[in-house]
Amino acid sequence: MISSFHPTTEDVQSFAVASVVVAICFWAFKSAGWTELPYYLLLAGLTIISREIGQRMVAQWMDAYIDLKTSVEGSATSLFGAFLALITGLPIILLFPLTSSFSGRKYEHWGKSIDAIWAKRQYWLTMGGLTTLFAAWYVAYLFEQQLLAEVTILFMFFQLLPFNYEAIPTSKLDGVYILLWSGFTWLTVMGITLIALVLTFF
């Protein structure tokens, strides 16, 4: 099995596009100057890589594969929010630039004790990413890195939204996988995220 920590070219391209989209959205949300845009790009990259590390750690343990994909409709929705923030001056932000898909190869699991319920494995994969994302927020909050704390917890909040409907212009978000397996866990994680949002912004 190829290591989950060796991303494909498509993964790297999706990471780059998603980082740019998140950076622009957060930059518009904060009404920052043009010269600060590279710094916001760094913050966005750190945020997305925090999620990726968690998911790929779990994928390596489970012999699973992760494909990071740019969400065209989600990116368009996010950039539309950034456009509204720029022209209105209001603190508007939408963050739906990417989605992840998970897969496994049966022959790689022969002779191993593997849970056959795929929905549970997807749940653990998404929870892995959200756990490291929350850890990144906590470290940033603890060391008073305000901007990094803001973008990580905002990104986590939007990833937790259980959107997977044609009427909503986003791709399948992490919250869908969690809600599918455990509604109680989704409520708990969303509650913790909302508390973290309040602590960060107020």
Side-chain angles (χ1 to χ4, degrees):
M1 174 184 173
I2 298 174
S3 172
S4 298
F5 290 101
H6 291 130
T8 64
T9 303
E10 290 76 14
D11 289 335
V12 174
Q13 290 172 346
S14 297
F15 169 79
V17 172
S19 296
V20 170
V21 172
V22 170
I24 292 172
C25 294
F26 190 57
W27 168 80
F29 171 70
K30 299 298 291 185
S31 300
W34 287 102
T35 56
E36 297 179 61
L37 196 51
Y39 179 59
Y40 281 77
L41 184 59
L42 173 64
L43 296 176
L46 288 173
T47 298
I48 294 171
I49 209 165
S50 297
R51 173 181 176 269
E52 284 300 294
I53 287 171
Q55 286 193 356
R56 290 175 188 275
M57 284 173 62
V58 177
Q60 186 70 16
W61 170 54
M62 287 185 169
D63 288 347
Y65 293 87
I66 295 176
D67 292 315
L68 184 66
K69 299 178 181 178
T70 302
S71 170
V72 177
E73 61 272 31
S75 294
T77 302
S78 302
L79 292 173
F80 178 70
F83 174 73
L84 289 178
L86 286 173
I87 63 172
T88 64
L90 297 173
I92 299 169
I93 188 167
L94 300 169
L95 296 176
F96 309 112
L98 55 81
T99 187
S100 296
S101 62
F102 312 110
S103 60
R105 297 175 183 173
K106 289 183 179 179
Y107 70 86
E108 292 180 345
H109 298 157
W110 289 348
K112 299 181 183 179
S113 177
I114 294 292
D115 193 326
I117 304 174
W118 182 243
K120 185 176 183 180
R121 298 184 71 198
Q122 292 176 319
Y123 162 80
W124 281 114
L125 287 161
T126 51
M127 280 299 295
L130 292 172
T131 300
T132 50
L133 193 56
F134 185 80
W137 167 80
Y138 183 72
V139 171
Y141 180 76
L142 197 63
F143 288 95
E144 299 182 350
Q145 298 298 312
Q146 182 65 21
L147 290 177
L148 182 57
E150 287 181 14
V151 70
T152 50
I153 202 63
L154 280 169
F155 187 74
M156 183 172 174
F157 169 76
F158 282 106
Q159 278 298 311
L160 272 169
L161 296 177
F163 291 170
N164 187 30
Y165 307 98
E166 290 184 3
I168 302 175
T170 69
S171 294
K172 196 172 186 178
L173 302 175
D174 292 351
V176 175
Y177 297 105
I178 296 171
L179 190 60
L180 178 66
W181 185 254
S182 173
F184 176 76
T185 301
W186 182 86
L187 284 172
T188 301
V189 176
M190 179 57 88
I192 292 170
T193 303
L194 290 173
I195 292 170
L197 274 170
V198 172
L199 289 173
T200 304
F201 285 93
F202 303 100

